[in-house]
Amino acid sequence: MHPLVADLRAALARAADPEQAPTMQAYMKSALPFRGVPQPVRARILRECLAVAPPPTADVLARVVDALWDGAEFREERYLATALCAHRSLARMPDADWLPRYRHWIVSGAWWDHVDEIANRLVGPLVRADPGRVVPVMRRWATDPDPWLRRASIICQLMAKEATDTALLGEAIEASLKDEDFFLRKGIGWALRQHARTDPLWVREFVDAHPDLSPLSRREALKHL
């Protein structure tokens, strides 16, 4: 076990709140138990452990996050894995070669808390940084049988603003238009509502051109227009 993995797990154990853990687990409908450690405390744990650990290389980072994710006994370990990849001192290390890892996390995590974090904080920056390699992968995810991969392809550009690839956004949405899954419909509305902050005309035209948008997606898309 890498020392950073051991340090993070030990810090989670020290910060555990057994009274809150069952409530957090029930809220997330999680098969994995919780330690009961909220996000602000996890952020402090990550900051303190990184401050005393030798700066990891990309290979070490990969080993650490794989151990945290695949060896997790508590859900917060997986939260720390994604937070490590997005940490300001480490975020330059993951590149398009990490997409299979993120795909594994999305499929195995299979719930909105994991998927939304991975899509927005990990995959989204790669779409903008390396579109030639990443956009084709997003197009494959958009038509994958797994609904969480499709949701990730739809919402991965929430923070892109003017850099949004509207062709990709439109294709990802259209691939799931007829799916009745709540999280897909909600994700479609969320992505459109967010892009409307940057380009309301494009969103209006897209909504008008797609009468088969679900009422939920349409309502969310036009919420602030």
Side-chain angles (χ1 to χ4, degrees):
M1 182 188 301
H2 191 277
L4 181 55
V5 176
D7 290 348
L8 289 168
R9 286 177 172 161
L12 284 176
R14 289 192 298 272
D17 185 341
E19 292 186 2
Q20 288 299 315
T23 302
M24 295 170 71
Q25 183 177 0
Y27 176 72
M28 282 300 170
K29 302 178 181 179
S30 175
L32 275 175
F34 274 77
R35 284 286 195 188
V37 182
Q39 193 280 330
V41 178
R42 296 197 304 270
R44 175 178 57 77
I45 287 171
L46 189 61
R47 184 171 62 251
E48 291 175 352
C49 288
L50 285 174
V52 299
T57 63
D59 288 343
V60 167
L61 178 62
R63 287 170 47 208
V64 167
V65 298
D66 286 348
L68 287 169
W69 187 278
D70 292 324
E73 295 183 5
F74 298 90
R75 199 174 187 92
E76 289 95 339
E77 293 175 54
R78 290 185 165 183
Y79 292 155
L80 287 179
T82 54
L84 270 167
C85 294
H87 191 273
R88 64 182 181 276
S89 67
L90 306 174
R92 61 181 172 76
M93 295 181 183
D95 57 18
D97 291 336
W98 285 52
L99 286 174
R101 174 176 287 106
Y102 296 157
R103 186 188 198 282
H104 163 60
W105 288 0
I106 289 169
V107 172
S108 58
W111 199 239
W112 63 266
D113 57 334
H114 290 315
V115 174
D116 294 3
E117 187 81 355
I118 295 163
N120 285 298
R121 298 190 67 195
L122 306 184
V123 175
L126 295 179
V127 173
R128 299 186 289 278
D130 194 355
R133 295 178 65 194
V134 180
V135 169
V137 177
M138 292 302 100
R139 289 196 165 100
R140 293 196 295 272
W141 286 12
T143 59
D144 196 277
D146 187 279
W148 293 108
L149 286 172
R150 282 185 277 146
R151 178 176 167 95
S153 73
I154 292 165
I155 67 170
C156 67
Q157 298 191 82
L158 289 179
M159 296 187 291
K161 298 182 179 179
E162 293 82 1
T164 299
D165 182 337
T166 53
L168 172 61
L169 176 60
E171 289 177 35
I173 291 172
E174 288 168 349
S176 291
L177 271 183
K178 296 181 180 179
D179 199 300
E180 297 182 358
D181 180 84
F182 169 81
F183 289 103
L184 283 171
R185 291 185 168 187
K186 190 75 171 179
I188 288 170
W190 186 15
L192 290 171
R193 185 179 76 240
Q194 188 69 10
H195 189 55
R197 300 175 185 273
T198 299
D199 193 345
L201 179 59
W202 186 92
V203 172
R204 278 195 180 278
E205 290 179 345
F206 185 90
V207 170
D208 290 344
H210 294 81
D212 48 348
L213 271 172
S214 72
L216 171 60
S217 298
R218 182 179 299 273
R219 184 169 61 252
E220 290 292 315
L222 302 177
K223 194 168 187 177
H224 301 302
L225 295 181

